[in-house]
Amino acid sequence: MDAPVEYVISPVPVTRAMTLAEVMRQVASLNGDPWQAVQQLAASGDRSLIPPAQAALERYLDEGEWYGRDMMAYVLAGIRGAAAFPLLLRAFARPVPHDDRDSLCALLGDLIHLDPDGCRPTILSFATDEHPDLRNAGLWALGYVVRPGDLDLLRQALTDPDPRLRQTALGTLTSLKNEPSAYDLVTAALHDPDEQVRRSAVLDLRWFANAAAVHSLTPLTRDQSANVRSALGETIGNLPLDTHDRPAALDALLLLLADLEPQVRAGAARGISALGGPFDALQAGARDPDPHVRAAIAAALGRHANPALTETLSSLAGDALAAVRADLVTALGVCGWPGIRPIIDTLTADPDRTVRARAEVALTRITATKPHK
């Protein structure tokens, strides 16, 4: 009897072009994770991949597909390095629905760090372009390479009719936090007609760490926009206040804590926590009808737990909303006071899985830092 015939099938070599095609198939189907293949392609140095990857990038932009755009951007950045920056900054400028652009921001930041002087001319050309999308992208990227000599450009951007560009210019000014003129421009933007720009100015003032900012911020406790008022609490609470400025800050925070809007009260609670008190005002707020406010107060009091707060902390540990209990136990885990151990022990048996998990982490932390007696 003849021996059975053995068929030997030679494996077909997997080319990088085939791998790129597979990445695009996975992007289209959302079936599988293309990230490992993308990393390999980016590290390959294979310049023959540039034309198809660039074509795919343009197609994804036309289709409004941010996932595929980011995959192709990573491949191109890996192969071309900083030379890919102009192309990818232009891709960044293209609006794509439902896209926070976080991954692309990080990638562009890495490319700028590779060659800041080489990227700066491209950034400046975008920042002065007639098209608002390109101008916005350039103003954003300028934050990585901004110089005091760019203040005139940013001052002009703060007069742009597009509030989105004014917001971006404010963010870039925070990279000049040691420049008095930059601080003055951000402070002036507190009076911008657009509420989102005013809110950005409030938040951006934290970067300048100037105690005098409290006197520019306190009038905004009467701002018509709750979005603006809600940003005041944490900014005021985190300023490096001295004895002279602290009363004005405290008055503003207590006023915000009594605001009709829950988001404003929650921001005030976080600001009072950052300021280090007064906690009696927060204890009264532990019964606030809004759960988001109670969660903010739970986090604030939990971080500053002490014997005087025990009754309020125990009440918050029994709050009807799991999110409040979860924020409380997370804060208790970092407060450093061993007296909160019984509250954490109780929350390890909480009916909510997230609360139980956070309680176990908190228990581990306090056990590692201060043994229970």
Side-chain angles (χ1 to χ4, degrees):
M1 185 174 182
D2 295 336
V5 177
E6 294 184 3
Y7 294 94
V8 178
I9 301 176
S10 299
V12 177
V14 178
T15 66
R16 293 189 180 113
M18 290 172 63
T19 305
L20 183 64
E22 179 61 25
V23 167
M24 289 187 281
R25 279 194 294 272
Q26 290 180 353
V27 167
S29 65
L30 296 179
N31 183 20
D33 183 1
W35 180 237
Q36 185 175 1
V38 166
Q39 289 179 300
Q40 292 172 347
L41 293 170
S44 70
D46 186 352
R47 297 186 65 82
S48 69
L49 292 173
I50 294 175
Q54 187 168 329
L57 173 70
E58 296 295 338
R59 186 178 73 253
Y60 288 134
L61 287 168
D62 290 340
E63 295 171 354
E65 171 54 71
W66 62 265
Y67 184 43
R69 177 206 63 191
D70 287 357
M71 295 297 102
M72 293 305 107
Y74 195 90
V75 170
L76 290 165
I79 296 172
R80 299 189 64 196
F85 178 74
L87 172 68
L88 298 186
L89 186 60
R90 188 169 292 274
F92 174 85
R94 292 272 297 272
V96 173
H98 313 297
D99 172 31
D100 59 17
R101 299 193 293 190
D102 284 353
S103 296
L104 194 52
C105 283
L107 183 59
L108 287 167
D110 289 342
L111 292 179
I112 295 171
H113 285 307
L114 282 177
D115 186 11
D117 291 337
C119 291
R120 184 173 157 85
T122 297
I123 292 171
L124 290 173
S125 70
F126 273 58
T128 54
D129 196 274
E130 292 185 0
H131 195 289
D133 289 338
L134 297 179
R135 195 157 67 250
N136 192 54
L139 289 169
W140 168 81
L142 186 60
Y144 287 89
V145 294
V146 68
R147 300 170 184 172
D150 298 324
L151 278 168
D152 284 343
L153 188 157
L154 292 168
R155 185 179 290 106
Q156 182 64 32
L158 288 172
T159 67
D160 197 285
D162 187 339
R164 178 187 52 150
L165 272 68
R166 302 200 300 273
Q167 274 187 278
T168 303
L170 285 172
T172 295
L173 282 166
T174 63
S175 297
L176 293 171
K177 58 187 177 183
N178 296 320
E179 291 291 325
S181 295
Y183 169 80
D184 291 342
L185 288 173
V186 177
T187 304
L190 294 172
H191 307 288
D192 193 276
D194 184 87
E195 68 176 73
Q196 292 302 329
V197 177
R198 296 197 304 277
R199 176 181 169 84
S200 292
V202 170
L203 295 171
D204 290 338
L205 274 177
R206 285 182 59 175
W207 290 92
F208 293 88
N210 188 330
V214 69
H215 302 291
S216 299
L217 291 166
T218 51
L220 272 70
T221 57
R222 300 183 296 274
D223 194 281
Q224 63 182 358
S225 168
N227 283 331
V228 175
R229 301 196 307 276
S230 67
L232 289 170
E234 288 179 84
T235 295
I236 291 174
N238 282 281
L239 293 175
L241 300 168
D242 56 25
T243 305
H244 174 72
D245 296 313
R246 187 179 174 89
L250 184 55
D251 287 346
L253 291 171
L254 292 177
L255 184 61
L256 293 166
L257 192 63
D259 196 277
L260 294 176
E261 294 293 335
Q263 68 193 88
V264 179
R265 299 198 299 275
R270 290 188 286 269
I272 291 173
S273 176
L275 194 64
F279 298 114
D280 54 349
L282 292 185
Q283 285 183 283
R287 297 184 296 275
D288 194 283
D290 189 274
H292 296 96
V293 178
R294 298 200 306 276
I297 288 175
L301 293 179
R303 290 190 185 94
H304 298 276
N306 62 66
L309 300 176
T310 302
E311 184 178 348
T312 304
L313 293 172
S314 297
S315 173
L316 288 165
D319 194 277
L321 192 71
V324 175
R325 306 194 302 273
D327 284 359
L328 172 67
V329 76
T330 298
L332 291 175
V334 298
C335 78
W337 178 48
I340 44 81
R341 173 71 180 264
I343 297 176
I344 296 178
D345 285 340
T346 299
L347 291 171
T348 57
D350 194 273
D352 184 83
R353 179 173 61 181
T354 300
V355 177
R356 293 196 304 272
R358 292 191 184 187
E360 292 292 346
V361 172
L363 195 60
T364 301
R365 285 177 174 171
I366 66 166
T367 303
T369 53
K370 289 193 176 183
H372 179 60
K373 295 182 181 179

